[in-house]
Amino acid sequence: LSSAATHPADEHALVAHHFESLEQQRDAGALGMWLFLASEVLFFGGIFTAYAMLRYRDPAGFAAGTDRLNATIGGINTAVLLTSSLTMALAVWASQSKNGKLLRLFLALTLTFGASFLGIKAYEWYHEYEEGLVPGRVKLTDPEGKTGTGFGYKPDGTPSEAVEKLTLPQRRSMELFFVFYFIITGLHALHMVIGLAVLGIQLALALRSDFGVRDYGPIEISGLYWHFVDVVWIFVFPLLYLLRT
Amino acid sequence: MAHQPIKPRTYVLIYVALLLLTATTVYVARYMHLEKAEVAVALGIASVKTLLVGIFFMHLIHSRPLTWLIMVVGLLFLFALISITLSDYWTRGWMPVRALSPACLWG
């Protein structure tokens, strides 16, 4: 990990023995990430397919769920994530331009915006927990049926106003909407956490050595993953927060 | 692949376009009441945003045909997954499952 490796003459030191050149090594790495992302498309695609199917079955109940989400907060969070994608793209550019200072700055900014996204998401989840929108079976604790646990009941056991006035079938499909909501946003957040961990390690390496300056391959590959997670959210946002049909 | 890196100015322009498209999709969904066309418009805007991210942020514009092939094959499989699944559900009379009593599932 010596800084001497930045010199073109030492390029061969960065190339693994089964590659002919640094360029071929980078291409192979990026191609591997694209293959992984193609499989991720199907991972999220399967969930979206099930969502489309069940939403088609009962649009009104799903729309009732969408109404409980705050599209303004969701929109702001979309902007935060798009901003993190911009700073990630600029981090890759800084890496390609061999500018270590800007690389560290843009990696730090990407981490900041990514963490902000998760913070806003956590605030939303907490709000939904308070509203009694977390799916689960109802267990009534008093014979009058006034208090319970699970979907439609707040943490203190009182019925949620958002759910109370709905008919039983409407409640069912609204609960189904929130099953999808928590699975989709949860899996997306998991991908974000993994992305933040990778970028955090890369920033730590870039602070200690010429990592990312001697070879932009690793930064470019994390960038591909980060932008993909952004693309997933580009579909999650309208599907969960906006559509009412 | 040896090429000129995309300039920061291009990235910023793409970013502004992405923000404008996000604002558009929120505006359309909230104020235009397109009914059935709503889904098509929202997914159309999301697809345009995806293309912008893919082509510029993910450097597809400079990528080898092999990278494009992997992406296109991935999308083909996604198309097969969605179309074959939904055509099954929509043509076999499986869709309105409300005959199933909610009472047996709830409470």
Side-chain angles (χ1 to χ4, degrees):
Chain A
L1 292 175
S2 80
S3 56
T6 45
H7 197 274
D10 295 311
E11 188 181 292
H12 70 274
L14 299 169
V15 182
H17 68 89
H18 53 294
F19 290 114
E20 279 175 5
S21 66
L22 193 56
E23 189 188 319
Q24 189 195 43
Q25 178 171 293
R26 273 191 213 117
D27 275 357
L31 201 62
M33 180 48 86
W34 274 102
L35 266 173
F36 171 67
L37 295 183
S39 71
E40 287 267 89
V41 165
L42 294 177
F43 173 74
F44 282 102
I47 301 169
F48 286 147
T49 307
Y51 176 79
M53 203 181 78
L54 291 164
R55 177 153 203 152
Y56 178 85
R57 191 175 72 168
D58 187 1
F62 274 59
T66 293
D67 282 344
R68 303 313 306 165
L69 300 182
N70 189 333
T72 307
I73 294 184
I76 290 169
N77 228 2
T78 306
V80 170
L81 199 58
L82 289 173
T83 311
S84 81
S85 252
L86 171 68
T87 56
M88 186 68 234
L90 291 173
V92 176
W93 166 79
S95 184
Q96 286 171 333
S97 320
K98 299 196 177 295
N99 188 332
K101 212 171 166 182
L102 281 180
L103 169 66
R104 291 186 287 273
L105 170 72
F106 285 127
L107 280 182
L109 282 174
T110 308
L111 281 165
T112 310
F113 286 118
S116 309
F117 175 90
L118 284 179
I120 295 172
K121 200 76 219 101
Y123 166 79
E124 281 186 86
W125 283 331
Y126 182 71
H127 183 70
E128 283 129 19
Y129 165 76
E130 293 267 273
E131 285 249 293
L133 297 174
V134 179
R137 286 302 182 88
V138 165
K139 191 175 166 193
L140 298 176
T141 48
D142 76 315
E144 298 278 301
K146 289 281 193 287
T147 64
T149 59
F151 185 76
Y153 291 89
K154 293 179 177 180
D156 64 4
T158 56
S160 166
E161 299 86 19
V163 181
E164 208 178 15
K165 54 183 185 288
L166 300 176
T167 65
L168 215 51
Q170 282 174 333
R171 278 181 175 218
R172 286 285 310 159
S173 55
M174 189 180 173
E175 185 178 10
L176 195 55
F177 171 85
F178 277 99
V179 169
F180 276 106
Y181 169 78
F182 282 106
I183 287 177
I184 293 174
T185 57
L187 284 172
H188 180 264
L190 177 68
H191 279 77
M192 293 283 297
V193 170
I194 293 168
L196 287 175
V198 170
L199 292 179
I201 291 168
Q202 292 194 329
L203 176 60
L205 289 172
L207 285 168
R208 300 160 156 230
S209 66
D210 60 350
F211 181 85
V213 173
R214 60 170 187 258
D215 175 19
Y216 65 81
I219 308 285
E220 188 186 32
I221 290 172
S222 345
L224 288 176
Y225 175 82
W226 191 261
H227 297 311
F228 171 79
V229 176
D230 190 15
V231 164
V232 171
W233 184 262
I234 284 174
F235 281 93
V236 170
F237 175 58
L239 286 176
L240 290 180
Y241 286 77
L242 296 178
L243 294 183
R244 303 204 64 263
T245 49
Chain B
M1 208 170 183
H3 58 78
Q4 286 296 310
I6 298 173
K7 291 187 178 69
R9 206 173 69 99
T10 311
Y11 287 132
V12 173
L13 284 176
I14 296 301
Y15 168 67
V16 171
L18 289 170
L19 286 185
L20 288 176
L21 285 169
T22 305
T24 308
T25 197
V26 173
Y27 178 83
V28 169
R30 277 210 176 156
Y31 304 109
M32 286 183 69
H33 307 295
L34 295 177
E35 308 288 320
K36 295 277 174 199
E38 199 181 64
V39 182
V41 171
L43 291 181
I45 292 175
S47 303
V48 172
K49 288 166 78 178
T50 299
L51 275 178
L52 289 178
V53 171
I55 290 174
F56 294 99
F57 285 3
M58 297 171 87
H59 301 163
L60 274 176
I61 195 169
H62 290 309
S63 293
R64 287 173 191 281
L66 193 55
T67 311
W68 281 87
L69 181 72
I70 288 177
M71 192 204 62
V72 169
V73 168
L75 292 181
L76 275 179
F77 273 95
L78 179 69
F79 177 74
L81 172 74
I82 294 173
S83 59
I84 296 174
T85 307
L86 292 188
S87 64
D88 233 17
Y89 273 86
W90 286 343
T91 55
R92 289 174 191 265
W94 291 345
M95 275 318 276
V97 195
R98 269 168 243 144
L100 191 70
S101 165
C104 67
L105 295 164
W106 178 269

